[in-house]
């Protein structure tokens, strides 16, 4: 399109630049592009008669532009409606003016919904303006003088700011009487470009006084009361957002409060991308009390600028790896090579030296050190809340978790690992026995319909987190019972069905709807569900089928897969075994199968597996429990064929396995074919893995499968080739543990939320939870006493005695810690990790302080600066720029020398 010279003149007028000058606005600049589609020639004629921050009446403007008064008034209102002019009514008279681009015209134009809907490039112009102007400001603005400024969350500085009330949100809300709320213009811009971060734009920013009146007149905002404004502030804080204000009205003055996120806000980008936190910071910096900090990570994932990371607290033999030296713009020439271009995808959650091994190795990255501390203090409800931020099913996991956290526990290098799972089980038991159980509060009311296919741990986890955000979640389960393998694949002596039901009851209270006996693909299709208004689908069908070995005789009567056997028993079907039972397999499921066989009538049970005793995939305690029940375990034998007479199994021939893994630790068994043994059997239960059964679920969809029949999906977002279909849990990874599936369910909920909301990216602003453990070989554990690990007492005899006249029970006889045992066990924690603050990048917003349950992180006052009127800003900036240039000149020779020495130069 040809350049409109009048609009170009207007763009320069608002920018306070002259055509033909070095700083002039050109047609390709966002200042022109944002005006071009919305400003007519007559609007430009009138707007060119407006003055910067000088309030003029329509009569005065009519004289300047030479148009009739009525026509001028009409055009002025059109200018105000699209955001080209500001207006204010005083004593019945309307006044008009132009202001700064940001915070000013850019936000107003983007906040006009019709503008962005008709001309999406308008949203990009706002983004482009920040990218064009921000580099010019790096290092050049004194602290407290940027056009936008962070204001700390008031609770984080209570008692500290009596001398500086301008740093209190309540001051601005209490001083004004008129308020509106509007969409966030930054997130509107991001959304329009398909770059949303999951923090939604709707009704996020509050206008006050004359700005609110302007928003009411032009239809940009909804009028609200002061109480409603306070409630919006509280909700924003509860959801991890921070506050910032326009900072050009003068000390202690502003006309708006923005509720910002670091991944969407274009002002916070000054710090996060361009490395210029001084431009927007408050007078505060976060400080961590390492003694109180428990490395739960809540603050780290909330910090808008990645200024917080988990590090190490426990003592080391050698100095920890140093964080890379950071150049700072106050004494360094600054350019694109110094920017963090990928700040929305490259956040780090740990320091170079790593952090608490328990958090790092837990698939769900639960704040274990944190809930141990809360349990030690008797704060069981708070401990449960912390656990449920990552794992909705602590009562279940307290009974069946593989305890990767305990395997990694630093205490295990001293004596025995902390009994983390037993403490978690105790915490969950307190809630199970409460009259009023903990039901997580609803954070949002998004309301869109989402379907979860499969009521196993991953599907239930996804439903839990979506319900927290107010989605209408329906879980479809083809079996009559909910819980998936938790209910049908794990025997009651390990996981009582009432425990599973109790955990699921919380989801019902959260509004999740369950439909059992409904097989999606058979009874109704994904297309049918789309027709019912479902916007996204999470396929979490699990690995519910037993895997067969393809052995001769495997189809004989008396041969079952272990998974089918457990399902039949758990569904209460009449199934009795007699005589000798042979179980093929050496994993945890095989142990469950063998122990269940004892309980349904087997005279004797023998397990045979490829692995040696030390290599068995089953947990050592599971093996011990099987042996205690009289189950024989014969290692290093692989099945050769099943012997059959008259169509029924009579035995199994095994061959000796001499090795299971090759030099690269890949599964590659080798046999001594000359060494065989025949084992008589009345029943054979094959428990060597699980498989997927998709049925007709995927018919008509674009979802693809891998050779092992697991779904193909993006490993980070879980999105399949069908955009509205996500897959996770065993259906994606193959058989793993419940905690792995639970963790994946949360990630699925994050992706689905982003997918169903317009303009959101599945990856931008998403925390990559790459928690890495500290180096345990470098720890100094010499000063710690050895304290025995607490053991939970079993009820009566721990185990039955199969084959010796004993009758093993389906009752879970494992006890739970007492209060005293919890106190003793939690005292054994070495408190390995703590949060580390990058003070330069910290903006002093205080969002971290609201996440901390331990009073371990607080805001400390470092500056004493207030805002400056825009008209008085230029001389301050020029003086600061001059001082910066001097600092750069002084610092440059030393930096060049250090660089040369580091590179081996002369």
């Amino acid at each position: 399109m040809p350049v409109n010279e009048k609009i170009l003149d207007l763009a320069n007028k608002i920018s306070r630049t002259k055509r033909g000058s070095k700083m002039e606005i050109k047609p390709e600049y966002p200042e022109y592009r944002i005006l071009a589609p919305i400003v007519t020639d007559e609007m430009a004629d009138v707007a060119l008669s407006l003055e910067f921050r000088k309030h003029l009446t329509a009569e005065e403007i009519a004289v300047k532009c030479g148009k009739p008064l009525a026509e001028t008034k009409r055009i002025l209102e059109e200018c105000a409606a699209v955001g080209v002019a500001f207006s204010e009514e005083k004593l019945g008279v309307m006044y008009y003016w132009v202001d700064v681009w940001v915070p000013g015209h850019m936000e107003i134009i983007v906040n006009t919904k019709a503008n962005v809907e008709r001309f999406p490039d308008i949203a990009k112009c706002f983004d482009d303006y920040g990218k064009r102007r921000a580099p010019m400001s790096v290092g050049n603005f004194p602290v407290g003088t940027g056009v936008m400024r962070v204001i700390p969350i008031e609770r984080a500085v209570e008692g500290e700011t009596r001398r500086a009330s301008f740093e209190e949100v309540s001051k601005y809300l209490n001083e004004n009487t008129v308020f509106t709320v509007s969409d966030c213009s930054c997130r509107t811009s991001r959304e329009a470009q398909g770059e949303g971060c999951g923090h939604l734009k709707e009704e996020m920013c509050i206008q006050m006084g004359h700005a609110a009146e302007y928003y009411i007149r032009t239809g940009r905002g909804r009028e609200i009361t002061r109480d409603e404004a306070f409630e919006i502030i509280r909700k924003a804080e509860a959801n991890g957002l921070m506050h910032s204000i326009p900072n050009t009205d003068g000390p202690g003055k502003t006309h708006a409060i923005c509720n910002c996120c670091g991944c969407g806000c274009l002002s916070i980008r000054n710090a996060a991308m361009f490395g210029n936190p001084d431009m927007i910071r408050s007078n505060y910096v976060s400080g961590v009390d390492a003694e109180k900090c428990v490395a739960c990570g809540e603050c780290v994932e909330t910090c808008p600028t990645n200024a917080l990371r988990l590090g190490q607290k426990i003592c080391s033999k050698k100095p920890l790896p140093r964080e890379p030296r950071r150049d700072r713009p106050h004494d360094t020439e600054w350019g694109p090579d110094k920017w963090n271009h990928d700040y929305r995808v490259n956040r780090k959650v740990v320091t170079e030296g790593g952090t608490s091994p328990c958090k790092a190795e837990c698939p769900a990255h639960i704040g274990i050190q944190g809930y141990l501390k809360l349990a030690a203090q008797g704060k069981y409800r708070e401990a449960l809340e912390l656990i449920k931020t990552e794992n909705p099913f602590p009562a279940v996991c307290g009974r069946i978790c593989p305890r990767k956290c305990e395997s990694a526990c630093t205490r295990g290098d001293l004596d025995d690992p902390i009994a983390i799972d037993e403490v978690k089980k105790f915490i969950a038991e307190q809630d199970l026995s409460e009259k009023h159980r903990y039901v997580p509060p609803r954070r949002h009311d998004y309301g869109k319909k989402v379907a979860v296919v499969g009521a196993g741990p991953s599907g239930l986890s996804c439903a839990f987190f979506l319900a927290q955000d107010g989605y209408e979640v329906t879980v479809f389960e083809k079996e009559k019972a909910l819980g998936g393998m938790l209910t049908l694949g794990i025997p009651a002596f390990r996981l009582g069905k009432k425990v599973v039901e109790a955990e699921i009851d919380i989801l019902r209270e959260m509004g999740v709807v369950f439909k059992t006996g409904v097989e999606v693909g058979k009874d109704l299709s994904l297309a049918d569900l789309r027709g019912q208004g479902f916007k996204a689908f999470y396929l979490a069908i699990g690995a519910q089928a037993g895997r067969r070995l393809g052995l001769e005789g495997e189809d004989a009567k008396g041969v079952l897969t272990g998974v089918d056997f457990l399902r039949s028993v758990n569904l209460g079907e009449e199934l009795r075994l007699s005589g000798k039972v042979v179980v093929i397999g050496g994993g945890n499921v095989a142990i469950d199968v063998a122990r269940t066989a004892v309980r349904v009538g087997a005279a004797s049970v023998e397990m045979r597996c490829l692995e040696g005793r030390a290599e068995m995939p089953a947990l050592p305690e599971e093996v011990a429990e099987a042996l205690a029940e009289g189950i024989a375990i014969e290692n290093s034998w692989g099945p050769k064929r099943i012997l059959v007479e008259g169509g029924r199994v009579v035995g199994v021939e095994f061959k000796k396995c001499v090795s299971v893994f090759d030099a690269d630790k890949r599964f590659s068994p080798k046999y001594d074919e000359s060494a065989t043994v025949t084992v008589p059997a009345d029943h054979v239960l094959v428990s060597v893995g699980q498989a997927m059964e998709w049925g007709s679920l995927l018919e008509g969809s674009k979802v693809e499968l891998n050779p092992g029949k697991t779904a193909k999906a993006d490993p980070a977002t879980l999105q399949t080739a069908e955009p509205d279909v996500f897959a996770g849990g065993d259906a994606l990874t193959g058989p793993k543990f419940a905690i792995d599936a639970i963790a994946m369910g949360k990630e699925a909920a994050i992706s689905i939320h982003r997918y169903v909301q317009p303009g959101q990216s599945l990856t931008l602003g998403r925390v990559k939870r790459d928690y890495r453990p500290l180096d345990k070989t470098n720890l100094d554990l010499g000063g710690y006493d050895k304290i025995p690990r607490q053991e939970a007492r079993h009820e009566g005899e721990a185990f039955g005695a199969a084959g010796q006249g004993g009758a093993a029970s389906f009752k879970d006889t494992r006890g739970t810690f007492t209060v005293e045992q919890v106190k003793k066990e939690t005292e054994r924690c070495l408190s390995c990790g703590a949060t580390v603050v990058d003070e330069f990048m910290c903006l002093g917003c205080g969002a971290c302080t609201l996440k901390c349950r331990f009073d371990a992180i607080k805001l400390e006052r470092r500056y004493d600066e207030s805002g400056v009127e825009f008209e008085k800003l230029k001389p301050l900036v020029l003086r600061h720029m001059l001082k910066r240039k001097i600092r750069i000149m002084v610092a440059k020779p030393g930096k060049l020398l250090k660089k040369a020495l580091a590179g081996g130069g002369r």
Side-chain angles (χ1 to χ4, degrees):
M1 292 180 62
V3 175
N4 187 308
E5 296 296 332
K6 289 183 180 179
I7 295 175
L8 189 57
D9 286 340
L10 178 59
N12 276 278
K13 181 180 184 65
I14 296 173
S15 303
R16 298 173 311 287
T17 54
K18 292 182 179 180
R19 299 285 299 271
S21 69
K22 184 178 179 181
M23 298 298 292
E24 77 166 317
I25 302 303
K26 298 178 181 180
E28 63 269 24
Y29 287 3
E31 293 93 325
Y32 172 79
R33 287 168 32 225
I34 200 169
L35 298 178
I38 59 173
V39 176
T40 63
D41 283 350
E42 65 175 4
M43 290 167 66
D45 286 336
V46 172
L48 284 168
S49 298
L50 299 175
E51 299 293 336
F52 177 73
R53 290 200 164 188
K54 182 178 180 181
H55 295 199
L56 300 177
T57 65
E59 288 79 2
E60 292 171 312
I61 297 166
V63 171
K64 292 184 67 176
C65 70
K67 293 182 181 293
L69 179 60
E71 184 179 350
T72 300
K73 285 183 176 181
R74 173 183 63 79
I75 297 172
L76 283 169
E77 287 305 308
E78 290 176 1
C79 289
V82 298
V84 177
F86 285 84
S87 64
E88 180 181 9
E89 183 178 358
K90 295 179 182 178
L91 301 175
V93 179
M94 293 296 300
Y95 293 86
Y96 303 87
W97 71 95
V98 292
D99 214 294
V100 294
W101 282 112
V102 172
H105 290 286
M106 287 279 177
E107 287 95 333
I108 300 302
I109 293 171
V110 171
N111 252 333
T112 307
K113 294 181 180 180
N115 287 345
V116 176
E117 289 172 1
R118 291 177 60 203
F119 310 107
D121 187 57
I122 282 176
K124 189 174 186 303
C125 290
F126 184 26
D127 183 21
D128 289 348
Y129 177 82
K131 290 176 180 175
R132 191 176 89 81
R133 298 290 298 184
M136 304 177 192
S137 67
V138 177
N140 292 326
F141 278 69
V143 170
T145 61
V147 295
M148 292 290 294
R149 191 181 187 191
V150 169
I151 182 170
I153 289 170
E154 193 162 329
R155 280 177 287 171
V157 293
E158 281 178 338
E160 164 67 26
T161 59
R162 299 276 72 85
R163 60 191 174 133
S165 62
F166 62 82
E167 291 174 330
E168 296 176 339
V169 170
S170 62
K171 161 190 158 55
Y172 300 106
L173 295 182
N174 288 328
E175 284 182 350
N176 285 279
T177 57
V178 183
F179 307 90
T180 53
V181 62
S182 69
D183 293 351
C184 169
S185 52
C186 295
R187 276 168 263 174
T188 297
S189 172
R190 299 286 201 183
E191 178 186 298
Q193 298 176 79
E195 296 182 1
C197 59
H199 294 106
L200 302 189
K201 68 180 188 300
E202 282 72 23
E203 298 206 333
M204 274 288 107
C205 295
I206 298 168
Q207 297 79 37
M208 302 168 292
H210 71 84
E213 292 169 351
Y214 172 67
Y215 266 59
I216 293 168
R217 281 196 304 274
T218 58
R220 285 185 175 84
R222 178 173 67 87
E223 186 172 7
I224 58 174
T225 64
R226 180 182 289 113
D227 288 343
E228 287 177 300
F230 272 113
E231 182 56 34
I232 290 167
I233 294 292
R234 283 190 288 270
K235 183 177 179 181
E237 292 173 357
N239 284 288
L241 302 180
M242 57 184 288
H243 312 308
S244 59
I245 58 173
N247 195 43
T248 59
D249 294 355
K253 297 179 181 179
T254 194
H255 56 270
I257 301 172
C258 301
N259 295 307
C260 310
C261 64
C263 38
C265 177
L266 303 183
S267 172
I268 306 305
R269 182 172 63 184
N270 281 280
M273 176 176 170
F274 295 105
N276 189 23
D278 285 353
M279 180 79 176
I280 54 173
R281 71 166 73 253
S282 76
N283 283 323
Y284 294 84
V285 172
S286 292
V288 174
D289 185 335
E291 289 303 309
K292 292 181 179 180
C293 182
V294 295
C296 66
E298 295 283 286
C299 60
V300 170
E301 296 193 19
T302 298
C303 179
T305 58
N306 202 196
L308 304 178
R309 298 177 188 177
L310 290 188
Q312 178 178 326
K313 178 164 58 174
I314 194 169
C315 293
S316 294
K317 299 173 186 175
K318 301 177 183 178
L320 296 175
R322 297 183 65 179
E323 295 296 303
R325 182 188 178 279
R326 180 195 295 279
D327 286 331
R328 300 188 179 186
H330 78 283
D331 64 354
T332 307
E333 292 179 342
W334 214 254
D337 61 312
K338 306 290 187 185
W339 303 349
N340 183 3
H341 297 268
D342 298 322
Y343 76 99
R344 302 180 78 196
V345 294
N346 65 5
R347 287 175 62 101
K348 294 182 179 179
V349 291
V350 294
T351 60
E352 293 295 317
T355 190
S356 303
C358 56
K359 183 174 180 70
E361 298 302 331
C362 172
H365 302 300
I366 302 170
I368 293 167
Q369 200 177 311
Y371 75 71
L372 291 178
K373 183 72 170 181
L374 290 168
Q377 297 171 345
K379 299 177 180 178
Y380 306 130
R381 174 59 67 90
E382 289 184 46
L384 184 79
E385 291 177 14
L386 178 57
I387 294 170
K388 286 203 168 190
T389 60
E390 309 295 346
N391 177 4
F393 312 118
V396 166
C397 288
R399 289 162 169 81
I400 63 166
C401 194
R403 302 195 293 279
K404 296 178 183 181
C405 53
E406 293 186 24
S407 298
C409 179
T410 305
R411 184 88 207 188
D413 290 10
L414 181 65
D415 40 44
D416 292 309
I418 307 295
I420 295 169
D421 227 35
E422 290 293 349
V423 175
K424 179 169 60 189
K425 180 180 176 183
F426 172 88
I427 293 167
E429 284 294 319
Q430 309 313 300
D431 185 59
L432 292 178
S433 60
E434 286 283 340
K435 183 177 180 181
H436 301 291
R437 298 181 59 201
Y438 171 66
V439 179
R442 178 174 289 199
R443 297 181 298 210
H444 304 283
D445 291 294
Y446 292 141
K448 297 186 179 184
K449 295 173 69 175
V450 177
V452 173
V453 182
S458 197
L460 293 173
S461 172
C462 180
F464 175 93
F465 290 109
L466 285 172
Q468 264 197 294
D469 278 342
Y471 286 101
E472 296 179 17
V473 186
T474 301
V475 179
F476 296 89
E477 171 55 54
K478 73 175 183 179
E479 301 288 354
K480 296 177 182 178
L482 298 172
M485 297 302 283
L486 300 176
T487 302
L488 303 179
I490 301 175
F493 55 79
R494 285 191 59 221
L495 179 60
K497 303 312 167 226
K498 288 186 178 180
V499 174
V500 180
E501 291 167 5
E503 300 272 51
I504 292 174
D505 281 343
I506 296 298
L507 273 72
R508 289 193 175 96
E509 290 193 47
M510 295 171 70
V512 177
V513 175
F514 294 96
K515 294 190 177 182
T516 55
V518 177
E519 183 175 350
V520 179
K522 178 182 177 183
D523 300 313
L524 73 174
S525 65
L526 294 177
D528 293 333
L529 293 174
R530 288 189 187 96
Q532 294 177 22
F534 287 94
K535 302 301 182 183
F537 307 87
Y538 183 48
L539 308 186
I541 63 170
Q544 73 276 41
R547 191 163 70 86
R548 291 183 170 269
L549 292 170
L551 295 174
E552 177 187 338
E554 199 169 4
D555 294 330
K557 290 182 180 179
V559 180
L560 275 175
T561 67
V563 170
D564 290 336
F565 168 68
L566 289 175
R567 180 183 289 106
S568 295
V569 173
N570 283 319
L571 286 173
E573 297 175 3
E574 288 295 327
L575 191 150
R576 301 294 297 174
L577 303 182
S578 60
K580 181 170 183 175
V581 175
V582 173
V583 176
I584 300 174
N588 289 320
V589 176
I591 296 282
D592 288 343
V593 169
R595 294 181 65 196
T596 300
V598 171
R599 288 158 171 79
V600 293
S604 65
V605 179
E606 178 178 315
M607 292 179 62
R608 287 191 177 247
C609 62
L610 293 173
E611 300 86 0
R613 185 63 58 89
E615 298 171 315
M616 286 180 67
L619 296 172
E621 55 268 37
E622 299 275 348
V623 174
E625 290 173 356
L627 293 171
E629 294 189 354
I631 295 168
I633 300 178
E634 299 292 339
N635 296 95
S636 302
W637 290 98
K640 186 174 183 179
R641 61 183 176 131
I642 294 174
L643 306 177
V644 181
E645 291 183 5
R648 183 167 186 85
V649 62
V650 294
V652 185
E653 183 179 357
F654 289 91
K655 53 188 175 182
K656 189 67 175 177
C657 181
V658 295
S659 67
V660 180
F661 302 101
D662 63 17
D664 296 322
K665 303 296 184 183
R666 291 175 298 195
F667 182 74
S668 181
K670 291 182 172 55
Y671 302 95
D672 179 355
E673 298 287 348
S674 65
T676 62
V677 64
T678 298
V679 180
D682 297 292
H683 299 274
V684 174
L685 302 175
V686 181
S687 187
V688 292
Q690 296 157 244
M692 266 50 68
E693 280 188 350
W694 291 96
S696 53
L697 172 58
L698 303 180
E699 285 185 7
S701 80
K702 298 176 184 176
V703 179
E704 302 173 6
L705 298 180
N706 293 303
K709 291 191 176 180
T710 54
K712 285 186 179 181
D714 184 282
T717 68
L718 311 184
Q719 188 177 40
T720 69
E722 189 82 62
D724 62 350
V725 177
F726 299 78
D730 289 356
L732 181 70
T733 63
K736 295 185 80 171
F737 295 104
I739 188 63
D740 295 284
I742 288 167
M744 201 167 286
K746 180 176 182 179
E747 292 300 319
I750 293 170
S751 290
I752 289 171
H753 158 66
R754 288 165 171 251
Y755 173 76
V756 301
Q757 299 294 343
Q760 305 304 305
S761 162
L762 297 189
T763 57
L764 294 176
R766 187 169 185 155
V767 177
K768 292 180 180 177
R769 312 188 76 207
D770 182 24
Y771 289 99
R772 291 176 288 102
L774 50 77
D775 178 8
K776 291 199 288 182
T777 65
N778 188 35
L779 298 182
D780 181 3
L781 302 178
Y784 294 98
D785 293 331
K786 293 188 177 182
I787 305 172
R789 173 180 166 124
Q790 297 294 306
E791 299 292 339
R793 184 181 61 84
H794 288 67
E795 299 176 18
E797 284 295 319
F799 313 111
Q804 299 176 13
S809 167
F810 274 101
K811 181 181 179 181
D812 186 352
T813 62
R814 298 169 297 175
T816 304
F817 274 176
T818 63
V819 171
E820 187 61 30
Q821 282 182 303
V822 168
K823 288 181 178 179
K824 289 181 178 179
E825 190 60 20
T826 52
E827 287 172 358
R828 298 179 65 237
C829 178
L830 299 179
S831 297
C832 299
T835 296
V836 178
V837 182
D838 179 343
E839 294 189 357
F840 174 67
M841 287 302 296
C842 176
L843 302 179
C845 68
C848 54
T849 67
L850 297 191
K851 289 293 182 179
C852 185
R853 295 170 167 85
F854 307 93
D855 196 32
I857 189 165
K858 294 183 177 180
L859 291 188
E860 301 169 354
R861 194 177 187 91
R862 293 293 173 83
Y863 308 96
D864 193 22
E865 306 295 339
S866 59
V868 178
E869 287 182 77
F870 189 86
E871 292 80 358
K872 298 178 181 179
L873 183 58
K874 188 174 181 178
L876 292 175
V877 172
L878 289 175
R879 282 198 298 271
H880 192 76
M881 289 173 67
L882 178 60
K883 291 178 181 179
R884 176 177 176 244
K885 284 187 176 182
I886 294 171
R887 285 194 298 267
I888 291 172
M889 291 172 61
V890 171
K892 186 178 288 187
K895 290 184 178 182
L896 291 174
L897 178 61
K898 286 182 180 179
K899 185 176 181 181
L901 291 173
R906 295 182 179 181

